[in-house]
Structures are given as structure tokens and as C-alpha cells.
């Protein structure tokens, strides 16, 4: 797209980074209070897994809708609307008085998260095009910084006995302040300029491989977000004030890895980075499963964070270089396959935990993490 700029390019990069930060902060704020909400709702592992299904279900249901809306109205407008809506839905989650209200709020939460995800990544592609070099991983790094900040605030809120609703209200207020700056500095685009492009097409073999790699990674990332607190509470038996320490460790190394990601991809091959990522994911999860004490399980989650960090930015970067279809269409195809990991992962872990225990469930996730390494040899820098 042709972009007419009226501000220094760094201003657009900062504004786009804020959207990624807000998205990460919002998601991890919810994730940090899942054990408390499970207790308040008197949910078993299987019951929690079933309810958590609503979030990725909303996310998947929104994929065609999000693509159509953004192609019609432009990412500049939609990223602002989604940036206001997504954090606001935390309030609805905190106000849920019964299971059905929680399910409905989670469905809308997932829908708005994907709307924001596609819009802000479209903005990031525009900024990267202006810079003329890879900076995608750094944007995802800001998502992780937001996730880390949300996990820290969540740990404090849990330790101080602050209710989820009051906690969510504080975070919503913070996001409003951030949005007051960023909404003015989005990349301009033309409404409806992509209307002629299909929203989704059947991916070719190379895009399918990229989607499967994203799938394996996002199952692991979803496990960390939705089940790390429960794992540390019930398996590691961490003190109440440290139940979220595993997720904090995971988000910290995921953020660090993403800020190093652009440099490492340029220094090493895409295949090498994906292989190492898969090995780190599997090793970290197995360490937490085989030796579930506070120190070693936390170390394991640190490794998982490093492993997960670069996979999605790499996959998006390769898909965006597709020569057989428009980059936006290729990204939509890969994202759809990848986000099935969020759709399947949370309830699958819940059912496996109910049948065989959380340690077995996390061991199964480790096998999927290794799939990233096994599929890496079929990936090249460009996806035709």
C-alpha cells in the first residue's frame, strides 16, 4: 500500500508498539487470575478446560469477520476500536456471576483479541515496509513486555487479595491512558483497498507447514497462559503468593527472546532458529514435568519462554514473503491453522489432566513443542 506520512517514522513505530503492549497486558491480566476465577466458580480441571474453550472459539469465529472488517475499513480505524474494546472486556470477565456469563464474556474477549491482533499486525507490516528491514519480532517483543507487566501486576494483586474485578478495572484505566497517545499516530491506509482479495484461501504445502509449526507453538503458548498458574498451584504446590511465578518467568524470557529475534534470524538460518526453539520448548516442559519443584519448574518455564519467543514472528515473516498469493492472504491462512492450537489446546489439557493428571497433560504438550523442531527442516526463508 502507498503510505503518505506526516510524522517521523519512529513515531508510527512507537504507536504500533503501544498497541502490541496493550494486547499483551490485557491477555496476561486475564491469565493471571484464572486460578482465582476457577476457585470462585468451583470448577474442576475439565470444567475449566471446557470454559476456556470459549476464548479461542471466539478468536477462530472472528477470523473471517476480522479480515473482512479490516479490508473494508482499514487497519488504522479498526486497531483503535479494538484497542478500546479488548481491555474493556476484562471488566465483563470480572463481573461474570455465573458460568454462562463467563463463557459469553470469554467468547467476546477472544473475538476482540483477534480483531486487534490482525489490525495491529497489519499496522506492523506497514511500519516494517517503511523501515525496509525486519522489525516484526520487536513488535511481538512489546506484546511480551505487556504480558510480563500484566503477570507482575497480577502476582501483586493475588498476593494482596485484590479482587479480579478491581484488578481488571485498574488495568483498563491504564490502557485508556496509553491509547490516548497511540490512536493519533497510526499508519494511514485507504478504506476498502483490499476488498478484491479473498479473505481466506486453501494454503499450499509450504504455508501448511508454517501453519502446523504455528499450531505446535501456540498450543504450548496457550498452555502457559491458561494452565501455568493451575500447574504451579496443584503440581508444584507453590505458595499462594508465587502461584503466578511460572507465567512471569515464561513471559520474561519470551519478551527477551523476541527482542533478540530480529538479530538472530539475520545471523542464523530460519531452519536453525525453529529447530532450537522446538528443542527449548520440549526440554523446558519436560523439566517441569519430571522435576516439579519450585526452582526447577520455574527454570523449565524460562526455557519454554525462550523457545516460544521467535516462532510466530518467524512464521509470519516467512508467510508474508509468499510469492504465490498476497501477503495478507497468506498470513490469514497461516494464522487460521496456527490459532487452532489455541482452540484445541486449553480444553485438551483440561481433559487430559482430568483423566491422567496435569503432569501427563504437560508432557503431551512437550511432544507437540518438539514438532516445531521436526517440521523446521521443511521451511525456507521464502514461502512460495
Amino acid at each position: 500500500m502507498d503510505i503518505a506520512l506526516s510524522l517521523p517514522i519512529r513515531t508510527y513505530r512507537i504507536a504500533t508498539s503501544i498497541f502490541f503492549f496493550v494486547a499483551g497486558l490485557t491477555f496476561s491480566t486475564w491469565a493471571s487470575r484464572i486460578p482465582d476465577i476457577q476457585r470462585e466458580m468451583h470448577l474442576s480441571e475439565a470444567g475449566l478446560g471446557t470454559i476456556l474453550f470459549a476464548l479461542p472459539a471466539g478468536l477462530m469465529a472472528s477470523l473471517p469477520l476480522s479480515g473482512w472488517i479490516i479490508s473494508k475499513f482499514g487497519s488504522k480505524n479498526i486497531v483503535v476500536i479494538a484497542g478500546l474494546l479488548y481491555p474493556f472486556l476484562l471488566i465483563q470477565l470480572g463481573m461474570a456471576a455465573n458460568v454462562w456469563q463467563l463463557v459469553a464474556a470469554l467468547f467476546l474477549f477472544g473475538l476482540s483479541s483477534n480483531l486487534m491482533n490482525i489490525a495491529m499486525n497489519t499496522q506492523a507490516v506497514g511500519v516494517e515496509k517503511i523501515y525496509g528491514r525486519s522489525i516484526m519480532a520487536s513488535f511481538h517483543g512489546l506484546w511480551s513486555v505487556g504480558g510480563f507487566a500484566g503477570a507482575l501486576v497480577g502476582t501483586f494483586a493475588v498476593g494482596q487479595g485484590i479482587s479480579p474485578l478491581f484488578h481488571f478495572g485498574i488495568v483498563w484505566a491504564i490502557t485508556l491512558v496509553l491509547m490516548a497517545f497511540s490512536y493519533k499516530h497510526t499508519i494511514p491506509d485507504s478504506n476498502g483497498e483490499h476488498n478484491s482479495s479473498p479473505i481466506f484461501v486453501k494454503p499450499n504445502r509450504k504455508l501448511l507447514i508454517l501453519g502446523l509449526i504455528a499450531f505446535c507453538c501456540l498450543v504450548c503458548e496457550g498452555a502457559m497462559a491458561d494452565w501455568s498458574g493451575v500447574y504451579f498451584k496443584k503440581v508444584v504446590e507453590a505458595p499462594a503468593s508465587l502461584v503466578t511465578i511460572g507465567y512471569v518467568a515464561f513471559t520474561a524470557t519470551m519478551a527477551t527472546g523476541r527482542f533478540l529475534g530480529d538479530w538472530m534470524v539475520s545471523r542464523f538460518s530460519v531452519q536453525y532458529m525453529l529447530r532450537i526453539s522446538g528443542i527449548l520448548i520440549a526440554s523446558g516442559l519436560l523439566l517441569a514435568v519430571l522435576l516439579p519443584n519450585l526452582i526447577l519448574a520455574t527454570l523449565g518455564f524460562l526455557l519454554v519462554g525462550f523457545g516460544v519467543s521467535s516462532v510466530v514472528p518467524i512464521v509470519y515473516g516467512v508467510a508474508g514473503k509468499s510469492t504465490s498469493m498476497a501477503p495478507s492472504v497468506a498470513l490469514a491462512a497461516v494464522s487460521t491453522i496456527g490459532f487452532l492450537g489455541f482452540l484445541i489446546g486449553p480444553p485438551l489439557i483440561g481433559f487430559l489432566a482430568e483423566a491422567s493428571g496435569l503432569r501427563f497433560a504437560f508432557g503431551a504438550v512437550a511432544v507437540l513443542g518438539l514438532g516445531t523442531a521436526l517440521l523446521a527442516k521443511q521451511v525456507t526463508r521464502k514461502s512460495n
Side-chain angles (χ1 to χ4, degrees), residues 31-33 35-36 151-152 154-156 158 228-229 232 238-250:
S32 70
R33 303 312 297 263
D36 293 305
L152 284 179
T155 299
F156 175 80
V158 170
S228 59
F232 266 69
S241 61
L242 294 176
V243 164
T244 60
I245 193 66
Y247 188 62
V248 170
F250 166 76

Side-chain angles (χ1 to χ4, degrees), residues 294-371:
L294 183 61
I295 295 175
L296 292 178
T298 302
L299 176 59
F301 280 35
L302 285 168
L303 294 177
V304 176
F306 275 125
V308 165
S309 63
S310 295
V311 175
V312 170
I314 287 174
V315 166
Y316 280 11
V318 175
K321 296 179 176 68
S322 174
T323 58
S324 62
M325 62 185 70
S328 60
V329 177
L331 284 169
V334 170
S335 295
T336 300
I337 299 170
F339 279 122
L340 283 172
F342 268 172
L343 181 66
I344 294 173
L348 176 63
I349 292 171
F351 291 128
L352 287 175
E354 189 80 5
S356 304
L358 270 173
R359 292 176 72 181
F360 177 83
F362 270 63
V365 175
V367 174
L368 282 175
L370 189 60

Side-chain angles (χ1 to χ4, degrees), residues 63-110:
L63 275 168
L65 178 64
S66 298
W68 179 81
I69 290 174
I70 292 169
S71 69
K72 184 173 180 63
F73 299 105
S75 62
K76 175 180 172 65
N77 298 317
I78 300 305
V79 74
V80 174
I81 295 172
L84 293 170
L85 177 62
Y86 184 35
F88 172 73
L89 285 167
L90 285 172
I91 305 298
Q92 309 307 309
L93 291 170
M95 293 177 62
N98 56 56
V99 167
W100 290 112
Q101 289 180 11
L102 182 60
V103 167
L106 278 174
F107 184 87
L108 293 175
F109 193 64

Side-chain angles (χ1 to χ4, degrees), residues 110-169:
L111 189 150
S112 63
S113 74
N114 189 60
L115 187 65
M116 187 170 185
N117 176 62
I118 295 178
M120 71 186 184
N121 272 286
T122 302
Q123 287 280 303
V125 167
V127 176
E128 188 175 63
K129 181 178 179 181
I130 296 168
Y131 269 77
R133 57 185 171 87
S134 176
I135 59 172
M136 182 64 75
S138 68
F139 286 123
H140 287 260
L142 264 296
W143 190 98
S144 298
V145 170
F148 181 59
L152 284 179
V153 173
T155 299
F156 175 80
V158 170
Q160 297 299 310
I162 298 173
S163 71
L165 179 58
F166 187 72
H167 173 199
F168 293 165

